[in-house]
């Protein structure tokens, strides 16, 4: 089968090769001897794969390896007792190996793709929406009627967070850096949009009537202190990632003075050994797709062979929504 591999750790432009490799067995490293085989139609591209081309992500396989953490496609084979069957349309989190014509995923990370979504949207469903749901509902204890400030709101996690927040009955304020990203955040459903180079903290406090309840932050960097300042009493900042480059530090007296919280949210590590939680989140996502709250925003699409262009778009801060490889052409 055709696949794209990372063959050296030299960055997005030079690290990749298009190769011909053997199809995988129906066995996943997380569930040895068992796995769902998927004929891949579309594969997701995300920030971690940019980091993997430089050897900077926490998952560091030996080169050469096939990256690609998530796919959408059609089940070719599934283990007994799995929730999906051959022929089913699915979205699946395979962790690695998704940039290929056939991928394998654990049964508990494979979800029926609702009819409302096409394969490209399915390739953006698991990583971003499960992360956003886990971050807001499980870690952030988001309640109906609360207000959420979403950083990087035109990105993959950001557009998902906007839709999940609204689907859970909260108001979503998007923070973005450009006009085009403002358009995407509005398309995702943001109630209000503020600009990262403007007085966004004061605007968020005004819009929310005194302070937001939750900030979800996939960006990090020097905006973190203002995120804390934008909270109302009892507010929570949820730490999801650091696309801005630097890892913020917190002066914890701020938390004491204002009765606020900083909450870490690492979806993959938390849910890995918890199949029941995965299914529970999958069911919640399914409900939000069916009631119209979730419609993944697909941004740029590339052929599998153009994966380097997809990575460079993300690396250059140019991506919006979910970047997708059309594996089946
Ligand atoms: N914790 C978890 O479980 C988990 C799960 C999935 C992903 N993540 C992490 O979440 C982060 C976001 O992922 P994503 O897929 O949403 O990425 P993305 O689609 O590329 O969006 C990231 C956003 O970050 C903002 N940004 C600010 N400074 C940037 C810079 N120097 N370079 C690139 N972007 C910059 C951009 O928005 P503006 O231009 O509008 O500022 C961009 O839209 C990544 O760090 C990823 O590893 C964490």
């Amino acid at each position: 089968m055709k696949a794209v591999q990372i063959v050296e750790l030299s960055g997005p432009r030079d690290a990749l090769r298009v190769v011909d490799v053997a199809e995988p067995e129906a066995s996943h490293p997380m569930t040895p001897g068992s796995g769902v085989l998927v004929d891949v139609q579309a594969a997701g591209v995300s920030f971690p794969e940019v980091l993997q081309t430089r050897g900077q992500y926490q998952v560091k396989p030996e080169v050469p390896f096939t990256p690609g953490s998530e796919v959408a496609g059609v089940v070719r084979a599934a283990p007994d007792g799995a929730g999906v069957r051959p022929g089913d349309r699915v979205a699946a989190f395979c962790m690695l190996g998704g940039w290929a014509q056939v991928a394998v995923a654990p049964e508990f990370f494979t979800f029926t793709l609702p009819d409302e979504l096409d394969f490209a949207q399915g390739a953006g469903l698991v990583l971003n929406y499960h992360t956003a749901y886990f971050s807001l509902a499980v870690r952030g204890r988001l309640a109906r009627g609360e207000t959420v400030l979403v950083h990087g709101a035109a990105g993959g996690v950001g557009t998902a967070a906007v839709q999940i927040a609204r689907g859970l009955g909260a108001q979503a304020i998007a923070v973005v850096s450009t006009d085009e990203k403002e358009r995407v955040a509005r398309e995702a459903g943001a109630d209000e949009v503020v600009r990262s180079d403007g007085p966004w903290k004061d605007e968020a406090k005004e819009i929310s009537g005194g302070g937001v309840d939750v900030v979800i932050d996939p960006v990090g960097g020097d905006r973190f202190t203002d995120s804390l300042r934008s909270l109302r009493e009892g507010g929570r900042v949820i730490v999801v990632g650091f696309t801005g480059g630097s890892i913020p530090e917190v002066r914890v007296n701020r938390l004491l003075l204002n009765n606020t919280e900083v909450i870490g949210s690492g979806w993959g590590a938390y849910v890995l050994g918890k199949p029941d939680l995965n299914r529970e989140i999958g069911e919640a996502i399914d409900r939000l797709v069916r009631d119209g709250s979730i419609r993944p925003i697909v941004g740029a699409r590339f052929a599998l062979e153009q994966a380097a262009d997809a990575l460079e778009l993300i690396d250059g801060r140019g991506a919006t929504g979910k970047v997708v490889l059309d594996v089946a052409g």
Side-chain angles (χ1 to χ4, degrees):
M1 66 171 184
K2 192 162 55 175
V4 167
Q5 291 193 325
I6 293 178
V7 298
E8 57 184 30
L9 304 180
S10 50
R13 176 48 43 197
D14 300 319
L16 305 182
R17 294 284 177 283
V18 181
V19 293
D20 211 1
V21 293
E23 290 183 356
E25 304 279 319
S27 170
H28 192 277
M30 284 188 251
T31 52
S34 171
V36 179
L37 273 182
V38 180
D39 284 314
V40 178
Q41 294 283 324
V45 186
S46 306
F47 212 81
E49 280 112 22
V50 175
L51 300 177
Q52 279 173 349
T53 65
R54 302 192 174 106
Q56 291 172 346
Y57 192 59
Q58 60 256 36
V59 180
K60 291 188 175 81
E62 295 272 309
V63 293
F65 68 94
T66 306
S69 64
E70 60 183 331
V71 298
V74 177
V75 173
R76 185 191 285 190
D80 289 344
V84 296
R85 289 183 309 194
D88 283 356
R89 298 165 79 248
V90 292
F93 184 75
C94 43
M95 182 107 86
L96 292 168
W99 294 3
Q101 288 175 309
V102 185
V104 58
E107 167 272 319
F108 58 79
F109 270 140
T110 307
F111 307 91
T112 304
L113 182 62
D115 292 342
E116 288 85 346
L117 304 185
D118 64 22
F119 287 119
Q121 290 172 311
L125 196 61
V126 185
L127 180 63
N128 292 336
Y129 284 85
H130 281 239
T131 294
Y133 186 89
F134 173 70
S135 299
L136 291 172
V138 181
R139 300 292 292 139
R141 312 183 305 275
L142 182 66
R144 185 166 285 280
E146 289 192 321
T147 301
V148 180
L149 184 78
V150 181
H151 284 298
V157 171
T159 48
V162 165
Q163 294 185 357
I164 298 269
R166 297 200 72 231
L168 294 176
Q171 183 189 30
I173 305 172
V175 186
V176 296
S177 65
T178 66
D179 289 347
E180 168 60 8
K181 289 183 177 180
E182 174 162 353
R183 188 193 63 71
V184 172
R186 289 194 191 283
E187 186 190 342
D191 296 286
E192 303 282 348
V193 183
V194 296
R195 295 294 273 263
S196 53
D197 60 355
W200 58 266
K201 167 181 63 77
D202 300 328
E203 291 168 334
K205 286 181 103 157
E206 196 181 321
I207 293 165
S208 59
V212 301
D213 300 283
V214 170
V215 176
I216 179 166
D217 185 13
V219 178
D222 51 15
R223 60 177 81 179
F224 200 81
T225 302
D226 273 349
S227 289
L228 286 173
R229 290 185 178 126
S230 72
L231 294 175
R232 73 167 77 237
E233 186 179 275
R236 292 86 76 195
V237 175
I238 306 166
V239 178
V240 177
F242 312 103
T243 52
S246 63
I247 297 178
E249 291 181 7
V250 179
R251 292 170 67 91
V252 293
N253 62 322
R254 287 188 199 287
L255 311 182
L256 178 154
L257 289 171
N258 301 316
N259 285 291
T260 54
E261 294 169 53
V262 176
I263 299 173
S265 179
W267 169 74
Y270 191 92
V271 301
L272 212 59
K274 302 182 182 71
D276 289 345
L277 177 62
N278 274 306
R279 289 192 195 97
E280 213 177 282
I281 294 176
E283 283 160 19
I285 302 280
D286 211 51
R287 279 196 300 278
L288 291 170
V289 171
R290 291 188 198 286
D291 79 8
S293 303
I294 290 180
R295 288 291 179 273
I297 308 284
V298 176
R301 299 172 72 151
F302 298 89
L304 181 61
E305 296 81 353
Q306 294 173 307
D309 295 335
L311 291 177
E312 284 196 317
L313 184 71
I314 294 174
D315 195 33
R317 203 174 173 174
T320 55
K322 184 72 184 180
V323 179
V324 170
L325 301 178
D326 286 307
V327 177

